Amino acid sequence: MASPEIEALTQALARLPGLGPRSARRAVIHLLKKRETALGPLLSALTAVEDRLSTCSICGNIDTIDPCGICADPRRDSRSLCVVEEVADLWALDRSRLFPGRFHVLGGRLSALEGVRPDDLSIDSLIRRIEAGGIDEVVLAMNATLEGQTTAHYIAERIERFPVRVTQLAHGLPVGGELDYLDEGTLAQALRARRPVA
């Protein structure tokens, strides 16, 4: 039996996404065995982030500075704005280094079942950013779910009065995907978005 403190650490780690009780126990054992090289640096990093963590007042990203590193970067194309549901989506797109513009985090997606209404998301601040001008394209990078597509459609309707080009991420067949393993929704979207062979 572990002490209450070690058990509390294990339970805290087990609540993290992707870690269950067994993985959390293995992580705790590793941290305890490598106290100087793993536990100390982890504790320092967590404390530093906790002390400085903030939400970007412009885009809604989570960072240790406000505005965040993306909004403060002068090399970013301020004319392109990519709208995402969550911070994790922003980080995934930014990691790809394929989108040179700025981002806007909604903080979720519209969902009648979960009671998430437009007022619960940062849609009004998105409209204000577009209204201020200087944006030529808005990329709606919502997840390919019913709620995500509903959110994208709602936002597209709200910004159609502005002189901006509204685009959406392509959906369909993944590279290396085999047809017999794909669900009907993915196949239907791929067929609807078909294009001429170059």
Side-chain angles (χ1 to χ4, degrees), residues 85-100:
E85 294 176 20
E86 300 287 354
V87 171
D89 304 325
L90 183 157
W91 289 3
L93 285 167
D94 193 50
R95 228 180 7 257
S96 74
R97 303 204 183 282
L98 296 173
F99 182 72

Side-chain angles (χ1 to χ4, degrees), residues 88-147:
D89 304 325
L90 183 157
W91 289 3
L93 285 167
D94 193 50
R95 228 180 7 257
S96 74
R97 303 204 183 282
L98 296 173
F99 182 72
R102 308 264 168 108
F103 291 91
H104 186 88
V105 180
L106 294 174
R109 60 183 174 262
L110 297 174
S111 174
L113 290 174
E114 296 172 12
V116 180
R117 300 169 293 117
D119 294 343
D120 299 322
L121 305 176
S122 65
I123 295 174
D124 287 340
S125 62
L126 169 65
I127 302 300
R128 286 193 295 274
R129 286 180 78 180
I130 296 168
E131 223 167 20
I135 295 173
D136 296 333
E137 180 185 16
V138 175
V139 181
L140 300 176
M142 311 293 113
N143 289 316
T145 61
L146 178 61
E147 293 88 356

Side-chain angles (χ1 to χ4, degrees), residues 63-89:
D63 205 339
T64 55
I65 55 173
D66 183 20
C68 72
I70 293 173
C71 288
D73 187 349
R75 296 169 297 180
R76 291 279 182 165
D77 182 2
S78 62
R79 294 166 298 148
S80 296
L81 186 64
C82 183
V83 182
V84 295
E85 294 176 20
E86 300 287 354
V87 171
D89 304 325

